[in-house]
Amino acid sequence: MDKKGLIIVLSGFSGAGKGTIMKHLLKKYPDAYHLSISATTRAPRQGEEDGREYFFRTQEEFDAMIANNELLEYATFNGNSYGTPRSYVEKLVEEGKDVILEIEIQGALQVKKMYPEAVLLFVMPPTANDLKERLVGRGTETADVIAQRLAISSRESQFMCGYDYLVVNDDLAKSVEQVHSIISSEHFRTARNEDTIKTIQKDLKKFERR
């Protein structure tokens, strides 16, 4: 079997539950997955530590990371830059660890372009009405903000076919297991096990009739 880890990207509509799935997945399988840590130019919040929640960088340092091709993906939100450090992820993958990136569509497609072997999963609710009900049910956002999020989701839906797998989050426990099963199965792809195939082919040669 392959000894390298996988780069897994998890995206989804706001309110679809991708963050909750991630939380439960890491809690249930703490030794199986590693959540990637992003670099950001925003200031640390109370209780946050560099290298734990984020790698905190100045804008100049972040721009240098972009120029030196040190980021797998990056984007700007609310005036702050966020990105995934390439060396951090590659080190974990080389150690045989599966690394999960919980990022938006823009970043996900950047990762897929750089690493075609990355596994992209998209989380969605059963229906559009379910998505609206979940956003309303949070009770934390105004009607205008909810309308904006739904409009963004409509635009994001045009990129869903760029992902490898779809996770319909109807039942949380089932969705967590579905994500785990997808990732586990990816390790058995023949394309990820070429060395194993070559070894058995070589060993079987001795049984060929001469």
Side-chain angles (χ1 to χ4, degrees):
M1 290 296 299
D2 65 322
K3 291 183 174 60
K4 272 192 175 184
L6 301 177
I7 295 176
I8 302 115
V9 177
L10 194 69
S11 303
F13 303 128
S14 176
K18 62 182 181 297
T20 305
I21 289 174
M22 274 290 307
K23 180 180 176 181
H24 283 76
L25 183 71
L26 293 170
K27 184 178 180 179
K28 187 168 184 179
Y29 302 101
D31 299 325
Y33 305 113
H34 292 259
L35 181 61
S36 175
I37 300 174
S38 297
T40 182
T41 58
R42 80 159 172 78
R45 293 171 183 158
Q46 186 173 0
E48 291 184 334
E49 293 182 12
D50 182 57
R52 189 178 68 185
E53 282 80 16
Y54 287 95
F55 296 111
F56 294 101
R57 299 292 182 263
T58 65
Q59 189 63 59
E60 291 75 19
E61 290 172 335
F62 196 93
D63 291 341
M65 293 177 76
I66 295 174
N68 295 327
N69 197 29
E70 295 174 11
L71 296 173
L72 287 179
E73 56 82 28
Y74 59 90
T76 300
F77 299 103
N78 298 323
N80 293 308
S81 298
Y82 296 83
T84 303
R86 186 173 181 172
S87 59
Y88 173 79
V89 172
E90 289 181 343
K91 181 177 182 293
L92 290 172
V93 168
E94 288 299 323
E95 292 173 356
K97 298 170 182 174
D98 291 342
V99 186
I100 301 179
L101 284 61
E102 186 188 337
I103 55 179
E104 302 304 318
I105 291 174
Q106 177 187 347
L109 298 180
Q110 287 178 32
V111 172
K112 191 67 171 179
K113 187 174 181 179
M114 186 176 290
Y115 288 94
E117 69 273 20
V119 184
L120 272 58
L121 292 82
F122 194 93
V123 180
M124 61 166 282
T127 69
N129 284 334
D130 285 322
L131 183 62
K132 181 179 179 180
E133 288 176 8
R134 290 180 188 183
L135 289 171
V136 172
R138 285 177 173 178
T140 57
E141 295 159 334
T142 65
D144 285 344
V145 171
I146 290 172
Q148 289 172 11
R149 291 192 181 280
L150 290 171
I152 290 171
S153 294
S154 178
R155 294 193 294 272
E156 289 178 336
S157 69
Q158 305 304 310
F159 299 94
M160 291 169 68
C161 288
Y163 284 69
D164 301 304
Y165 295 94
L166 195 63
V167 178
V168 180
N169 186 22
D170 189 13
D171 179 282
L172 177 59
K174 288 182 180 179
S175 295
V176 170
E177 284 309 302
Q178 184 179 0
V179 170
H180 178 63
S181 295
I182 288 170
I183 297 170
S184 299
S185 297
E186 278 292 322
H187 279 282
F188 293 93
R189 279 188 180 272
T190 54
R192 301 187 194 278
N193 293 279
E194 292 181 354
D195 289 343
T196 300
I197 292 171
K198 288 177 181 177
T199 297
I200 191 67
Q201 288 174 335
K202 181 181 178 182
D203 290 347
L204 285 169
K205 284 286 185 181
K206 64 185 177 185
F207 297 116
E208 291 184 3
R209 291 183 178 179
R210 300 185 181 277

Short mmCIF file of all heavy atoms in Angstrom, two decimals, residues 11-19 104-105 122-125 127 131 135 138 149-150 152-158 160 166:
data_model
loop_
_atom_site.label_atom_id
_atom_site.label_comp_id
_atom_site.label_asym_id
_atom_site.label_seq_id
_atom_site.Cartn_x
_atom_site.Cartn_y
_atom_site.Cartn_z
N SER A 11 -14.87 21.65 1.24
CA SER A 11 -15.52 22.93 1.02
C SER A 11 -17.03 22.72 1.13
O SER A 11 -17.51 21.60 1.27
CB SER A 11 -15.20 23.49 -0.36
OG SER A 11 -13.82 23.63 -0.56
N GLY A 12 -17.76 23.81 1.05
CA GLY A 12 -19.21 23.68 1.09
C GLY A 12 -19.87 25.04 1.28
O GLY A 12 -19.21 26.03 1.60
N PHE A 13 -21.18 25.06 1.09
CA PHE A 13 -21.93 26.30 1.28
C PHE A 13 -21.89 26.73 2.75
O PHE A 13 -21.81 25.89 3.64
CB PHE A 13 -23.40 26.11 0.88
CG PHE A 13 -23.60 25.64 -0.53
CD1 PHE A 13 -24.39 24.53 -0.79
CD2 PHE A 13 -23.01 26.29 -1.59
CE1 PHE A 13 -24.60 24.09 -2.09
CE2 PHE A 13 -23.21 25.86 -2.90
CZ PHE A 13 -24.00 24.76 -3.14
N SER A 14 -21.96 28.01 2.98
CA SER A 14 -22.08 28.52 4.34
C SER A 14 -23.39 28.01 4.93
O SER A 14 -24.46 28.21 4.36
CB SER A 14 -22.08 30.05 4.33
OG SER A 14 -22.30 30.56 5.63
N GLY A 15 -23.30 27.29 6.05
CA GLY A 15 -24.49 26.72 6.66
C GLY A 15 -24.71 25.26 6.31
O GLY A 15 -25.62 24.62 6.85
N ALA A 16 -23.87 24.70 5.44
CA ALA A 16 -24.04 23.30 5.03
C ALA A 16 -23.53 22.33 6.10
O ALA A 16 -23.91 21.16 6.11
CB ALA A 16 -23.31 23.04 3.71
N GLY A 17 -22.66 22.83 6.98
CA GLY A 17 -22.19 21.98 8.08
C GLY A 17 -20.80 21.40 7.93
O GLY A 17 -20.44 20.47 8.64
N LYS A 18 -19.99 21.97 7.02
CA LYS A 18 -18.65 21.41 6.81
C LYS A 18 -17.77 21.53 8.05
O LYS A 18 -17.00 20.63 8.38
CB LYS A 18 -17.97 22.06 5.61
CG LYS A 18 -17.71 23.54 5.71
CD LYS A 18 -17.07 24.07 4.45
CE LYS A 18 -16.78 25.57 4.54
NZ LYS A 18 -18.02 26.38 4.71
N GLY A 19 -17.92 22.66 8.77
CA GLY A 19 -17.13 22.84 9.98
C GLY A 19 -17.51 21.84 11.06
O GLY A 19 -16.64 21.30 11.76
N GLU A 104 -12.27 27.58 1.09
CA GLU A 104 -13.32 27.96 0.15
C GLU A 104 -13.00 27.47 -1.26
O GLU A 104 -11.91 26.99 -1.55
CB GLU A 104 -13.49 29.49 0.16
CG GLU A 104 -13.84 30.07 1.51
CD GLU A 104 -15.09 29.45 2.11
OE1 GLU A 104 -16.07 29.24 1.37
OE2 GLU A 104 -15.08 29.16 3.33
N ILE A 105 -13.98 27.61 -2.15
CA ILE A 105 -13.88 27.08 -3.51
C ILE A 105 -12.68 27.64 -4.26
O ILE A 105 -11.97 26.90 -4.94
CB ILE A 105 -15.19 27.35 -4.28
CG1 ILE A 105 -16.32 26.50 -3.69
CG2 ILE A 105 -15.02 27.06 -5.76
CD1 ILE A 105 -17.68 26.79 -4.27
N PHE A 122 -17.17 18.21 -1.48
CA PHE A 122 -18.06 19.37 -1.34
C PHE A 122 -19.26 19.00 -0.49
O PHE A 122 -19.94 18.01 -0.77
CB PHE A 122 -18.52 19.86 -2.71
CG PHE A 122 -19.14 21.23 -2.67
CD1 PHE A 122 -18.38 22.36 -2.89
CD2 PHE A 122 -20.49 21.39 -2.38
CE1 PHE A 122 -18.94 23.64 -2.83
CE2 PHE A 122 -21.07 22.65 -2.32
CZ PHE A 122 -20.28 23.78 -2.55
N VAL A 123 -19.50 19.79 0.56
CA VAL A 123 -20.61 19.52 1.49
C VAL A 123 -21.80 20.41 1.15
O VAL A 123 -21.65 21.62 0.97
CB VAL A 123 -20.17 19.78 2.95
CG1 VAL A 123 -21.34 19.51 3.90
CG2 VAL A 123 -18.98 18.91 3.31
N MET A 124 -22.97 19.78 1.06
CA MET A 124 -24.20 20.52 0.75
C MET A 124 -25.35 19.97 1.59
O MET A 124 -25.29 18.84 2.08
CB MET A 124 -24.54 20.41 -0.73
CG MET A 124 -24.80 18.99 -1.22
SD MET A 124 -25.57 18.92 -2.85
CE MET A 124 -27.28 19.31 -2.42
N PRO A 125 -26.41 20.74 1.77
CA PRO A 125 -27.61 20.25 2.45
C PRO A 125 -28.47 19.49 1.45
O PRO A 125 -28.21 19.54 0.24
CB PRO A 125 -28.28 21.53 2.92
CG PRO A 125 -27.92 22.51 1.85
CD PRO A 125 -26.53 22.15 1.39
N THR A 127 -31.50 20.15 0.41
CA THR A 127 -32.19 21.07 -0.50
C THR A 127 -31.78 22.51 -0.22
O THR A 127 -31.20 22.81 0.83
CB THR A 127 -33.73 20.98 -0.34
OG1 THR A 127 -34.08 21.52 0.95
CG2 THR A 127 -34.22 19.54 -0.44
N LEU A 131 -30.91 24.73 3.39
CA LEU A 131 -29.79 25.64 3.60
C LEU A 131 -30.29 26.95 4.22
O LEU A 131 -29.70 27.47 5.18
CB LEU A 131 -29.07 25.92 2.28
CG LEU A 131 -27.83 26.80 2.37
CD1 LEU A 131 -26.75 26.14 3.23
CD2 LEU A 131 -27.27 27.09 0.98
N LEU A 135 -29.41 28.55 8.02
CA LEU A 135 -28.85 29.88 8.21
C LEU A 135 -29.74 30.71 9.13
O LEU A 135 -29.25 31.42 10.01
CB LEU A 135 -28.67 30.58 6.86
CG LEU A 135 -27.55 30.03 5.97
CD1 LEU A 135 -27.63 30.66 4.58
CD2 LEU A 135 -26.19 30.27 6.58
N ARG A 138 -29.56 29.63 12.86
CA ARG A 138 -28.40 30.05 13.65
C ARG A 138 -28.76 31.21 14.59
O ARG A 138 -28.25 31.30 15.71
CB ARG A 138 -27.27 30.52 12.73
CG ARG A 138 -26.51 29.43 12.01
CD ARG A 138 -25.49 30.09 11.09
NE ARG A 138 -24.59 29.14 10.46
CZ ARG A 138 -23.65 29.48 9.59
NH1 ARG A 138 -23.49 30.76 9.26
NH2 ARG A 138 -22.86 28.57 9.05
N ARG A 149 -25.55 35.46 1.76
CA ARG A 149 -24.92 34.13 1.82
C ARG A 149 -25.58 33.17 0.84
O ARG A 149 -24.92 32.37 0.19
CB ARG A 149 -24.99 33.57 3.24
CG ARG A 149 -24.09 34.31 4.24
CD ARG A 149 -23.97 33.54 5.55
NE ARG A 149 -23.16 34.24 6.52
CZ ARG A 149 -21.84 34.25 6.54
NH1 ARG A 149 -21.17 33.59 5.60
NH2 ARG A 149 -21.17 34.90 7.48
N LEU A 150 -26.90 33.25 0.72
CA LEU A 150 -27.62 32.37 -0.21
C LEU A 150 -27.28 32.73 -1.66
O LEU A 150 -27.16 31.83 -2.51
CB LEU A 150 -29.12 32.48 0.03
CG LEU A 150 -29.61 31.86 1.35
CD1 LEU A 150 -31.07 32.22 1.59
CD2 LEU A 150 -29.44 30.34 1.33
N ILE A 152 -24.43 34.00 -2.64
CA ILE A 152 -23.07 33.49 -2.83
C ILE A 152 -23.10 31.99 -3.08
O ILE A 152 -22.40 31.47 -3.96
CB ILE A 152 -22.19 33.81 -1.60
CG1 ILE A 152 -21.92 35.32 -1.53
CG2 ILE A 152 -20.87 33.04 -1.65
CD1 ILE A 152 -21.26 35.77 -0.25
N SER A 153 -23.95 31.27 -2.33
CA SER A 153 -24.07 29.82 -2.50
C SER A 153 -24.55 29.47 -3.91
O SER A 153 -24.10 28.49 -4.50
CB SER A 153 -25.05 29.24 -1.47
OG SER A 153 -24.52 29.37 -0.16
N SER A 154 -25.44 30.29 -4.43
CA SER A 154 -25.93 30.07 -5.80
C SER A 154 -24.78 30.15 -6.80
O SER A 154 -24.66 29.30 -7.70
CB SER A 154 -27.01 31.09 -6.15
OG SER A 154 -27.45 30.92 -7.49
N ARG A 155 -23.91 31.15 -6.61
CA ARG A 155 -22.75 31.29 -7.51
C ARG A 155 -21.75 30.15 -7.29
O ARG A 155 -21.19 29.61 -8.25
CB ARG A 155 -22.07 32.65 -7.28
CG ARG A 155 -22.92 33.84 -7.69
CD ARG A 155 -22.12 35.12 -7.74
NE ARG A 155 -21.64 35.54 -6.44
CZ ARG A 155 -22.32 36.31 -5.62
NH1 ARG A 155 -23.54 36.73 -5.94
NH2 ARG A 155 -21.81 36.68 -4.45
N GLU A 156 -21.55 29.77 -6.04
CA GLU A 156 -20.61 28.68 -5.72
C GLU A 156 -21.06 27.35 -6.31
O GLU A 156 -20.22 26.52 -6.67
CB GLU A 156 -20.46 28.55 -4.21
CG GLU A 156 -19.70 29.69 -3.56
CD GLU A 156 -19.62 29.55 -2.05
OE1 GLU A 156 -20.47 28.87 -1.47
OE2 GLU A 156 -18.69 30.13 -1.46
N SER A 157 -22.35 27.15 -6.42
CA SER A 157 -22.87 25.88 -6.92
C SER A 157 -22.41 25.59 -8.35
O SER A 157 -22.40 24.44 -8.79
CB SER A 157 -24.40 25.86 -6.86
OG SER A 157 -24.96 26.77 -7.80
N GLN A 158 -22.03 26.64 -9.09
CA GLN A 158 -21.57 26.46 -10.47
C GLN A 158 -20.22 25.75 -10.53
O GLN A 158 -19.82 25.28 -11.60
CB GLN A 158 -21.47 27.83 -11.17
CG GLN A 158 -22.75 28.64 -11.13
CD GLN A 158 -23.94 27.90 -11.71
OE1 GLN A 158 -23.85 27.34 -12.81
NE2 GLN A 158 -25.04 27.86 -10.98
N MET A 160 -19.35 23.15 -8.37
CA MET A 160 -19.43 21.87 -7.67
C MET A 160 -18.88 20.70 -8.47
O MET A 160 -18.31 19.76 -7.92
CB MET A 160 -20.88 21.58 -7.25
CG MET A 160 -21.36 22.52 -6.15
SD MET A 160 -23.15 22.41 -5.86
CE MET A 160 -23.28 20.76 -5.16
N LEU A 166 -19.33 14.42 -3.55
CA LEU A 166 -20.38 15.24 -2.98
C LEU A 166 -20.84 14.59 -1.69
O LEU A 166 -21.11 13.38 -1.64
CB LEU A 166 -21.55 15.33 -3.97
CG LEU A 166 -22.61 16.40 -3.73
CD1 LEU A 166 -21.98 17.78 -3.84
CD2 LEU A 166 -23.74 16.25 -4.74
#
